[in-house]
Amino acid sequence: MPPPLFHIERDKLTKNLMNYVLNLAWNLMKLIKAPMYKRVMPNGEIQKLIITEETAKIRPYAVAAVLRNIKFTKDRYDSFIELQEKLHQNICRKRALVAIGTHDLDALSGPFTYTAKKPSDIKFKPLNKTKEYTACELMNIYKTDNHLKHYLHIIENKPLYPVIYDSNGVVLSMPPVINGNHSKITVNTRNIFIECTGTDFTKAKIVLDIIVTTFSEYCENQFTVEAAEVVFPNGKLHTFPELAYRKEMVRADLINKKVGIRETPENLAKLLTRMCLKSEVIGDGNQIEIEIPPTRADIIHACDIIEDAAIAYGYNNIQMTLPKTYTIANQFPLNKLTELLRHDMAAAGFTEALTFALCSQEDIADKLGLHISATKAVLISNPKTAEFQVARTTLLPGLLKTIAANRKMPLPLKLFEISDIVIQDSSRDVGARNYRHLCAVYYNKNPGFEIIHGLLDRIMQLLDVPPGEKKGGYVIRASEGPAFFPGRCAEIFARGQSIGKLGVLHPDVITKFELTMPCSCVEINIEPFL
Amino acid sequence: MADGPVAEVLLQRLEAADGGLDSAELAAELGVEHQTVVGAVKSLQALGEIIEAELRSTKRWELTAEGEEIAREGSHEARVFRSVPPEGLPQSELMRLPSGKVGFSKAMSNKWIRVDKSAADGPRVFRVVDSVEDEVQRRLQLVQGGRAEKLGEKERSELRKRKLLTEVTLKTYWVSKGSAFSTSISKQETELSPEMISSGSWRDRPFKPYNFSAHGVLPDSGHLHPLLKVRTQFRQIFLEMGFTEMPTDNYIESSFWNFDALFQPQQHPARDQHDTFFLRDPAQAQQLPMDYVHRVKRTHSQGGYGSQGYKYNWKLDEARKNLLRTHTTSASARALYRLAQKKPFTAAKYFSIDRVFRNETLDATHLAEFHQIEGVVADHGLTLGHLMGVLREFFTKLGITQLRFKPTYNPYTEPSMEVFSYHQGLKKWVEVGNSGIFRPEMLLPMGLPENVSVIAWGLSLERPTMIKYGINNIRELVGHKVNLQMVYDSPLCRLDAEQGPPSTQEAA
């Protein structure tokens, strides 16, 4: 479940688009009863778009349609442009999957050819420019264009660029970057030729359907769209837009059961019809037949229909009930141990920190005197800043950074954290695993090794691990490590395995974390004590 | 005995005195600094009702240094007059005298002297009268004698203008006997001691009163982090409601479990580099449950289980891409998949609270990592009404009773509902959670029975915590830039107790 408001931008895009399109559709429905969108054949010759095989390697699909005798106003025209932009940003994945071109048909002469050519061989006057440029020149010009620069990468390094010509060699567009200026549409345009090119055939068809259904309302023959033919490289002929209406069958009791209401099939059919899904009760009186219009590409399953019924019924009118699901609760053992230890760490006088799981390579390697390869850290491929280069392999840097940010606080500073670190592990399905670590630091005018050592003794007491070499006990043995002051480091062995280290930090480490006082620390893996 | 001999003398004088005495007068009599007497008064005051002291401020006229000189030597004009012999004096010579310049003009305007400009060796000054009355000197001498009141207001202000007089304010105490007056005072004890208890001497000793308006000394202690205190409460609520905790100790997840298993198509914007942290090493998940993967692939690309599917070319390589999980729903998917493998099906209630990661632009309310709270119920025949019923119980435990539900679009739930609650402080409806019923395209490929529904909801841990503790900048709460004083000072987390003050960021 995406949590609300906080961090939902990622879903907002899709959400906004869906809401935008649904609102457009619903507004239509309020004005007139569910319109029937119709694809019609032209009086004259049908517009043709021929795809050549050169497009196969770069952008193989194209669909097209015509809006005939449309009447724009300023508002309608702006909304037409806005819809294209929203579609480009969302379902079209920033034009990578689908790019839309809309043209003044009266300025062009079909049939059209969708092909791919060497950039140097493409030359035309692009939208809102006064002279002709080659495709190579355009790519340079648009590098500084705040809007278009984001789309250049889609074709930039390809040997051939996609391009659409009319029968006179006029360039309609060089998808997905820019249209030609010749066929530019204005508020006075009456006949619009729409082409969508892309790498995803299904999405291209959906995008075309959304545009033509949304704006066919303003055509002289309302809700009709003029067909266009597309000839694929294999010679197959397709007619677009598909404007496919399909029937779905849902049982009334299923809707009632999933929503938690008791409505008659007739009422349910009425509710669905109100949501622009023309529905009627058929068969044994429990079956509802629903017609899914081409505007509702979002309906792909009965559950989508059930949601519309629930929305029409009103979520807040649904009776709230508690499920009779009987279960016994269990804590996740690792979290249970963590919770217990946290409270006793605080009782021992240490304050809990909460630091980031992501950090820079420098934090876990260079600053601790290690090479990154020695950390076995997982590496992030696309960090926006150095703060997110790796997942931490130790909790220590986070605690030291917390102290550095709180140097004005009275000494001593005693901090701890019990949280996960991540290490590469080829035995796991994803090649990495978490370990639950406990780390504590003591920062004062004296190193306070005895305090950290005492804390370790207390932790072992809490975990019921006795001191001593005997089986099940714990000992610390002189050790060394680049992060520690020579001779002031020990390795901790418990229940027969090494679980971590404690010691006084090396002055170089202290300095690199912008600290000035001596500092001792302990860090252990608590998973052996589960 | 109380502080020093001055206090002692003060008490003795006070006993003899009629009514009371003035601290300044006492200082003059004893020949000590006034401040010493004031110190004695204050220390006696601290002992309780021994004396009463009333602060008085008196104003007094004093001579300036120049005023004192004049009182001694006479005014400048008188000195000028005296230095002019009967035969006169050249003006140039007169001007060289110490009082010359000031005294000359004043003596001229008093018409005590005159200047003869026609004299042979330059202008010469002569006396006009034989003798003069030095009024200025007389007045200053009066003030010096403590009889400034004999001068009129006008005369005083004229002298002040000439910077000969100045008015000073003196703060003195008027000391009188207190209700517990005694000349023999013993010092009050500050604390009870073991010796006093054993000897019983506490019975005869006066004790210094406590200042109850002072602050106590805070105990030396460790502290739990406020966000994790809230986490503990949320865990508690889920456990009270019979929810079992899911394992979430795997920050690294494959795209398969994070997206594909949830029926989130491979072209979904969430799977963009701009939104999700992908891994360079290890870049790919090597092991996936291939049977299940094939069912997921078919559902995405061709449909099935009553679905049209998304009709695109589903790629295994895309599903293998490792990432930092963007939600804990990936852990829920793993838990539900494990549940589906258990036959026969047994109902389950699950929860988790753990970190998730987003490759987002950071600001005051957004970090690259945050905690997600998620609840899941899987059972036969669950309805939207059940989801709302569980949410009502859950939010009641958080102290939120007014709920509203609004349709929304989520990629893997259908129906989907946003949960709003009325915020008393902000006087408006605010979004508190997101919820829905998992799509059949997600559940059926896992192998869950067809009539099993799974309801789920989620919220972030940070947002309610920031509201609860009135924190506007998330960096003060999470991460190393935390304000440790805030951690030290944070109260218990009692979610069902009264709401904290609403944060301003929330209002925005």
Side-chain angles (χ1 to χ4, degrees):
Chain A
M1 296 278 70
L5 288 189
F6 221 82
H7 296 278
I8 58 165
E9 275 64 26
R10 58 164 51 243
D11 293 317
K12 251 187 204 157
L13 283 175
T14 330
K15 211 180 233 181
N16 284 346
L17 173 75
M18 293 310 298
N19 290 340
Y20 180 81
V21 172
L22 291 181
N23 279 339
L24 281 173
W26 289 339
N27 286 339
L28 275 180
M29 299 313 142
K30 276 178 211 150
L31 296 172
I32 32 126
K33 264 200 239 152
M36 208 43 213
Y37 297 102
K38 256 194 290 190
R39 186 175 78 191
V40 295
M41 287 297 156
N43 296 328
E45 206 165 314
I46 191 165
Q47 295 299 336
K48 249 188 199 163
L49 175 64
I50 299 145
I51 306 178
T52 73
E53 61 193 3
E54 288 84 0
T55 62
K57 281 203 178 120
I58 166 152
R59 211 171 171 81
Y61 302 108
V63 295
V66 174
L67 285 172
R68 187 65 73 175
N69 292 322
I70 196 163
K71 202 164 180 198
F72 275 140
T73 60
K74 178 78 173 61
D75 283 352
R76 289 171 186 177
Y77 176 83
D78 290 346
S79 154
F80 187 66
I81 303 298
E82 190 193 354
L83 175 64
Q84 289 178 56
E85 184 53 27
K86 278 190 192 275
L87 290 167
H88 272 150
Q89 290 310 314
N90 292 275
I91 190 171
C92 304
R93 289 297 298 279
K94 300 195 172 117
R95 301 192 188 181
L97 297 185
V98 184
I100 309 158
T102 53
H103 311 278
D104 185 346
L105 183 57
D106 298 332
L108 299 165
S109 117
F112 306 99
T113 308
Y114 174 40
T115 183
K117 283 187 157 187
K118 274 199 252 163
S120 52
D121 294 346
I122 301 172
K123 192 169 186 189
F124 66 106
K125 199 197 282 178
L127 200 60
N128 300 330
K129 295 266 187 217
T130 48
K131 56 175 270 207
E132 291 194 342
Y133 298 91
T134 68
C136 308
E137 289 168 335
L138 282 178
M139 295 299 266
N140 265 323
I141 291 170
Y142 292 140
K143 269 200 180 87
T144 53
D145 184 304
N146 279 336
H147 180 58
L148 295 175
K149 67 179 178 193
H150 304 292
Y151 310 121
L152 304 181
H153 72 96
I154 303 170
I155 55 170
E156 201 166 21
N157 298 318
K158 304 278 162 89
L160 304 180
Y161 287 2
V163 60
I164 304 177
Y165 293 100
D166 82 347
S167 59
N168 298 326
V170 172
V171 171
L172 276 71
S173 63
M174 183 177 82
V177 179
I178 191 77
N179 286 350
N181 195 57
H182 181 82
S183 54
K184 177 181 173 178
I185 67 161
T186 68
V187 74
N188 298 318
T189 301
R190 293 302 310 272
N191 301 301
I192 303 175
F193 179 71
I194 303 160
E195 39 85 6
C196 300
T197 58
T199 54
D200 185 317
F201 193 30
T202 311
K203 288 255 160 46
K205 289 190 286 189
I206 291 174
V207 167
L208 184 67
D209 276 356
I210 292 175
I211 295 175
V212 297
T213 51
T214 311
F215 283 89
S216 61
E217 183 194 351
Y218 307 124
C219 291
E220 203 168 80
N221 291 320
Q222 278 195 316
F223 310 115
T224 63
V225 184
E226 184 178 308
E229 268 178 5
V230 177
V231 186
F232 279 63
N234 60 9
K236 277 205 177 154
L237 206 107
H238 294 256
T239 310
F240 297 107
E242 287 192 338
L243 290 184
Y245 282 80
R246 70 170 202 275
K247 305 265 186 190
E248 289 275 352
M249 215 77 99
V250 183
R251 294 186 63 80
D253 54 4
L254 183 73
I255 299 179
N256 279 326
K257 229 175 84 182
K258 293 282 178 194
V259 181
I261 52 176
R262 280 185 204 157
E263 288 294 303
T264 61
E266 287 72 23
N267 273 349
L268 291 174
K270 264 187 218 154
L271 288 173
L272 286 170
T273 306
R274 226 169 70 198
M275 300 295 285
C276 357
L277 298 172
K278 221 162 93 191
S279 307
E280 55 182 333
V281 182
I282 58 155
D284 60 358
N286 195 12
Q287 287 279 8
I288 301 175
E289 189 186 66
I290 302 118
E291 186 180 65
I292 314 295
T295 44
R296 297 297 303 274
D298 62 310
I299 295 184
I300 57 174
H301 192 279
C303 68
D304 299 304
I305 297 167
I306 294 169
E307 179 181 70
D308 275 29
I311 291 170
Y313 184 84
Y315 281 174
N316 295 299
N317 299 325
I318 299 170
Q319 182 75 38
M320 297 188 206
T321 46
L322 272 184
K324 296 192 169 54
T325 313
Y326 182 82
T327 51
I328 303 288
N330 286 304
Q331 301 186 50
F332 182 53
L334 185 57
N335 292 353
K336 188 176 180 179
L337 177 65
T338 302
E339 282 290 295
L340 290 169
L341 274 176
R342 283 175 61 229
H343 283 87
D344 270 302
M345 288 296 285
F350 281 71
T351 292
E352 188 172 36
L354 173 61
T355 66
F356 297 128
L358 305 185
C359 59
S360 64
Q361 288 197 13
E362 204 188 5
D363 282 344
I364 56 163
D366 314 39
K367 285 184 183 174
L368 298 177
L370 286 171
H371 188 264
I372 187 68
S373 60
T375 63
K376 295 208 295 184
V378 302
L379 309 177
I380 295 167
S381 66
N382 57 333
K384 279 179 187 150
T385 69
E387 288 171 273
F388 311 114
Q389 288 173 325
V390 292
R392 64 183 171 198
T393 53
T394 156
L395 300 179
L396 181 64
L399 290 186
L400 295 179
K401 288 198 289 188
T402 306
I403 293 174
N406 283 278
R407 279 183 307 192
K408 61 181 188 305
M409 295 296 290
L411 295 175
L413 283 171
K414 299 195 276 185
L415 299 181
F416 81 95
E417 182 168 19
I418 307 179
S419 191
D420 286 358
I421 59 107
V422 183
I423 301 279
Q424 292 208 24
D425 181 344
S426 58
S427 71
R428 295 298 178 106
D429 60 348
V430 295
R433 62 159 296 182
N434 288 19
Y435 282 97
R436 184 72 40 97
H437 272 203
L438 181 160
C439 183
V441 293
Y442 177 84
Y443 182 71
N444 201 359
K445 290 188 175 111
N446 58 303
F449 177 81
E450 68 287 357
I451 289 170
I452 281 299
H453 189 190
L455 181 72
L456 173 70
D457 292 340
R458 173 66 185 145
I459 294 165
M460 290 300 136
Q461 208 173 46
L462 290 166
L463 293 170
D464 203 15
V465 180
E469 298 275 1
K470 62 182 178 296
K471 202 171 170 249
Y474 77 98
V475 288
I476 67 172
R477 292 198 196 108
S479 174
E480 54 191 27
F484 294 97
F485 198 47
R488 300 276 185 278
C489 167
E491 190 165 2
I492 308 158
F493 294 86
R495 302 216 167 139
Q497 57 179 298
S498 168
I499 58 161
K501 279 182 177 171
L502 81 167
V504 177
L505 287 181
H506 197 285
D508 287 346
V509 174
I510 291 169
T511 314
K512 279 176 187 157
F513 281 95
E514 292 165 20
L515 297 176
T516 51
M517 304 273 169
C519 182
S520 54
C521 72
V522 58
E523 180 159 4
I524 58 168
N525 169 18
I526 63 165
E527 297 191 15
F529 306 105
L530 275 175
Chain B
M1 284 301 293
D3 303 39
V6 177
E8 236 174 286
V9 173
L10 192 150
L11 289 173
Q12 280 156 15
R13 292 281 175 101
L14 195 56
E15 188 174 32
D18 210 9
L21 53 85
D22 182 81
S23 60
E25 281 170 20
L26 184 66
E29 279 178 49
L30 298 179
V32 298
E33 290 281 320
H34 181 233
Q35 208 46 45
T36 313
V37 179
V38 171
V41 169
K42 288 200 167 150
S43 70
L44 286 169
Q45 263 183 318
L47 298 180
E49 302 297 305
I50 302 215
I51 58 160
E52 273 174 24
E54 181 195 336
L55 187 62
R56 288 180 175 181
S57 58
T58 47
K59 287 190 173 168
R60 235 180 46 199
W61 291 96
E62 273 182 5
L63 299 190
T64 62
E66 193 184 357
E68 279 184 15
E69 184 197 318
I70 288 172
R72 198 167 56 241
E73 317 243 343
S75 64
H76 297 294
E77 55 270 31
R79 277 186 266 172
V80 163
F81 177 80
R82 284 199 292 272
S83 52
V84 177
E87 67 275 17
L89 192 71
Q91 191 183 6
S92 55
E93 204 174 305
L94 184 123
M95 285 312 205
R96 280 198 293 273
L97 296 170
S99 300
K101 273 182 193 155
V102 195
F104 175 75
S105 57
K106 200 74 191 167
M108 279 296 284
S109 74
N110 284 356
K111 298 203 166 65
W112 290 351
I113 55 171
R114 66 179 170 85
V115 180
D116 182 0
K117 291 192 175 153
S118 58
D121 49 353
R124 207 174 172 85
V125 182
F126 293 96
R127 288 184 178 188
V128 176
V129 290
D130 294 334
S131 65
V132 294
E133 196 73 29
D134 193 350
E135 201 47 35
V136 174
Q137 184 181 31
R138 191 186 64 81
R139 288 175 189 161
L140 290 176
Q141 280 167 349
L142 271 176
V143 174
Q144 206 172 27
R147 283 171 297 165
E149 70 277 2
K150 296 231 161 144
L151 295 181
E153 185 67 38
K154 207 174 154 191
E155 292 161 332
R156 279 201 299 258
S157 79
E158 189 200 317
L159 290 171
R160 192 173 60 188
K161 269 184 211 148
R162 287 180 70 174
K163 298 206 169 103
L164 304 177
L165 268 191
T166 149
E167 192 174 30
V168 294
T169 308
L170 186 66
K171 291 204 161 146
T172 62
Y173 283 96
W174 180 253
V175 187
S176 55
K177 292 174 187 168
S179 58
F181 181 77
S182 154
T183 51
S184 60
I185 46 151
S186 61
K187 186 171 177 163
Q188 288 172 307
E189 298 293 344
T190 51
E191 292 300 349
L192 192 60
S193 69
E195 291 74 25
M196 291 177 197
I197 294 173
S198 62
S199 68
S201 69
W202 59 270
R203 293 176 204 279
D204 315 319
R205 303 292 262 287
F207 283 84
K208 192 175 177 181
Y210 275 168
N211 175 9
F212 291 113
S213 58
H215 286 289
V217 179
L218 284 177
D220 237 351
S221 73
H223 307 266
L224 294 175
H225 191 280
L227 187 80
L228 300 179
K229 289 201 269 197
V230 180
R231 183 180 73 179
T232 302
Q233 290 312 304
F234 273 101
R235 283 184 89 243
Q236 184 67 29
I237 288 171
F238 277 113
L239 293 169
E240 285 167 6
M241 291 176 69
F243 283 66
T244 285
E245 192 170 26
M246 292 182 272
T248 47
D249 58 334
N250 57 319
Y251 295 162
I252 309 301
E253 192 53 277
S254 60
S255 292
F256 177 78
W257 286 109
N258 197 81
F259 294 124
D260 296 287
L262 301 173
F263 196 53
Q264 204 155 345
Q266 294 188 328
Q267 311 81 2
H268 193 277
R271 303 180 72 151
D272 211 88
Q273 297 273 330
H274 296 290
D275 292 299
T276 300
F277 288 115
F278 288 94
L279 290 199
R280 173 153 60 90
D281 185 18
Q284 287 207 324
Q286 292 308 320
Q287 304 154 36
L288 293 174
M290 289 315 288
D291 267 9
Y292 172 44
V293 168
H294 286 305
R295 293 196 293 276
V296 169
K297 172 182 178 167
R298 203 178 50 227
T299 316
H300 278 246
S301 55
Q302 301 162 31
Y305 308 103
S307 175
Q308 304 278 313
Y310 292 123
K311 299 188 178 126
Y312 70 98
N313 184 14
W314 188 93
K315 295 192 181 94
L316 182 61
D317 276 351
E318 193 64 38
R320 280 194 197 278
K321 281 186 184 168
N322 275 335
L323 46 78
L324 280 146
R325 67 171 176 225
T326 64
H327 46 201
T328 48
T329 318
S330 57
S332 304
R334 283 180 184 262
L336 289 169
Y337 175 72
R338 278 193 301 271
L339 181 70
Q341 309 319 304
K342 273 193 255 167
K343 304 285 179 254
F345 170 81
T346 44
K349 295 198 290 213
Y350 293 138
F351 82 94
S352 66
I353 309 169
D354 210 341
R355 291 180 201 239
V356 298
F357 305 86
R358 308 266 169 103
N359 194 5
E360 283 184 312
T361 309
L362 314 181
D363 60 33
T365 54
H366 291 77
L367 290 174
E369 52 190 277
F370 65 101
H371 289 74
Q372 185 182 339
I373 302 168
E374 178 148 307
V376 174
V377 185
D379 202 352
H380 292 286
L382 292 178
T383 69
L384 212 48
H386 285 136
L387 171 59
M388 292 161 66
V390 173
L391 286 170
R392 184 184 55 191
E393 296 306 316
F394 178 78
F395 282 103
T396 300
K397 281 182 174 286
L398 298 175
I400 295 172
T401 47
Q402 279 178 283
L403 286 189
R404 265 192 201 165
F405 302 92
K406 199 186 133 190
T408 185
Y409 172 80
N410 288 332
Y412 41 85
T413 58
E414 194 79 14
S416 310
M417 301 195 299
E418 270 171 354
V419 190
F420 285 77
S421 94
Y422 190 76
H423 194 291
Q424 295 294 344
L426 301 172
K427 300 255 180 281
K428 64 171 187 183
W429 292 87
V430 294
E431 192 183 0
V432 291
N434 199 356
S435 69
I437 302 181
F438 282 135
R439 296 189 69 98
E441 295 102 319
M442 165 182 166
L443 301 178
L444 296 176
M446 290 177 171
L448 285 168
E450 205 163 328
N451 55 354
V452 165
S453 292
V454 180
I455 59 179
W457 75 98
L459 56 156
S460 88
L461 179 63
E462 279 78 356
R463 189 175 140 79
T465 306
M466 287 172 78
I467 296 172
K468 173 131 196 93
Y469 290 97
I471 296 165
N472 292 326
N473 186 348
I474 191 163
R475 283 162 213 274
E476 281 180 31
L477 178 68
V478 182
H480 57 268
K481 286 181 183 152
V482 67
N483 175 359
L484 278 180
Q485 192 62 50
M486 182 275 295
V487 176
Y488 292 170
D489 296 344
S490 79
L492 291 178
C493 171
R494 297 158 72 205
L495 292 172
D496 50 352
E498 207 169 306
Q499 291 267 325
S503 62
T504 46
Q505 151 264 332
E506 234 276 355

